[in-house]
Amino acid sequence: MSADWAVELHGVHRRYGRGRTAVHALRGIDLTLAPRTFTAVMGPSGSGKSTFLQCTAGLDRPTSGTVRLGGTEITGMKENKLTALRRTRLGFVFQAFNLLPSLTVEQNVALPTRLAGHRPDRRRTADVLAQVGLTDKARRRPGHLSGGQQQRVAIARALVTRPDVVFADEPTGALDTTTAAEILGLLRRAVDDQGATVVMVTHDPAAAAWADRVLFLADGELVDHLDRGTADRIAARMTSLTRPYEGAAA
Ligand code: ADP
């Protein structure tokens, strides 16, 4: 990737509705994320995390401001171009895995390449499946796999196109603690060993502790960040966000 920043947001606002009932979900987000970094986004319910992820990943459009991914401005891009960019240059991992049940594991992993109109590269598919430890499940269907294994497939699918940015929305929300740690370890390795850039929304301080930096959203604004925080420190910072007066008194 030639750009200096994997992700750039300048003055991003997202307002739902108009007039007196308008909701200001994002109130001027300015942010740059370097390539090969793992960023977690946390904040109380309703603070704007989903809106942030949707606007940053080109799934929703800001009311004002600009978003650049890998140096390409996506704000104002036509829908078909944006769809093509999402397929080739972004990866997605969701809480609910979102695999296609009728396709085998390797077909699911090859899907983004196919949707982008390219012939799947069998070696690349095999490589990413090996990376997530699922070589022996390539011919199985998702329904035969555990939740953790299904999320591994989703990670392989997200990485197969060597995207500029992987967006993960509560990727461990449906998993037990041990399985969650395995999944987070894979995202961490994707950054450290494969040079991926990961942006992950989570409510779990233990998950956020795998990131290089945690960004804290409150009421549509980035109000704080913590670098290489432990789960305890991240949890304490979250508590001070949700109970600011007690935090200030402490
Ligand atoms: P979070 O993910 O942190 O819970 P959201 O981004 O979902 O926060 O929501 C931020 C604010 O925007 C909330 O007040 C929410 O009610 C509002 N909101 C989100 N989506 C919509 C929508 N489609 N229409 C109206 N308000 C919305």
Side-chain angles (χ1 to χ4, degrees):
M1 185 167 51
S2 57
D4 292 340
W5 303 110
V7 177
E8 281 177 81
L9 272 68
H10 297 290
V12 169
H13 287 255
R14 178 65 167 103
R15 183 191 66 224
Y16 294 107
R18 294 190 155 272
R20 281 176 43 211
T21 56
V23 176
H24 295 271
L26 297 178
R27 300 169 184 266
I29 305 285
D30 291 299
L31 174 69
T32 49
L33 302 179
R36 299 174 170 257
T37 56
F38 187 172
T39 304
V41 180
M42 300 191 79
S45 179
S47 60
K49 300 182 295 297
S50 306
T51 306
F52 167 83
L53 202 75
Q54 302 257 327
C55 285
T56 307
L59 296 161
D60 186 16
R61 292 182 189 269
T63 311
S64 61
T66 57
V67 177
R68 281 172 184 266
L69 297 174
T72 304
E73 183 164 341
I74 65 164
T75 338
M77 211 179 234
K78 290 219 163 62
E79 198 54 45
N80 55 350
K81 263 193 94 178
L82 197 51
T83 302
L85 180 138
R86 278 199 304 265
R87 284 177 180 163
T88 53
R89 293 179 45 190
L90 306 182
F92 292 92
V93 180
F94 301 98
Q95 177 170 349
F97 321 136
N98 294 18
L99 302 174
L100 291 184
S102 60
L103 300 184
T104 65
V105 163
E106 62 187 356
Q107 287 168 339
N108 267 283
V109 172
L111 195 62
T113 313
R114 272 191 196 287
L115 287 173
H118 303 297
R119 184 193 290 265
D121 175 343
R122 294 200 74 140
R123 185 185 292 178
R124 177 68 188 155
T125 306
D127 281 351
V128 285
L129 273 177
Q131 205 177 312
V132 301
L134 285 182
T135 302
D136 60 332
K137 305 285 187 223
R139 303 285 164 80
R140 305 303 293 265
R141 284 179 214 285
H144 294 278
L145 305 183
S146 68
Q149 288 170 332
Q150 290 188 52
Q151 198 61 307
R152 285 166 183 257
V153 179
I155 290 174
R157 181 184 58 183
L159 294 173
V160 74
T161 58
R162 295 190 178 84
D164 288 333
V165 191
V166 173
F167 292 97
D169 192 357
E170 299 278 6
T172 56
L175 304 174
D176 64 76
T177 313
T178 310
T179 312
E182 285 167 17
I183 292 299
L184 291 156
L186 287 175
L187 290 174
R188 184 70 256 177
R189 282 223 306 270
V191 174
D192 295 341
D193 302 347
Q194 312 290 320
T197 305
V198 176
V199 179
M200 170 179 78
V201 165
T202 182
H203 69 271
D204 179 5
W210 289 79
D212 301 305
R213 168 169 284 193
V214 185
L215 304 175
F216 294 93
L217 267 174
D219 208 12
E221 290 183 89
L222 283 176
V223 291
D224 208 350
H225 70 264
L226 196 57
D227 288 338
R228 283 175 283 280
T230 60
D232 285 346
R233 285 193 66 204
I234 295 166
R237 199 65 68 90
M238 270 298 290
T239 307
S240 71
L241 279 184
T242 42
R243 286 181 284 173
Y245 301 110
E246 288 174 40

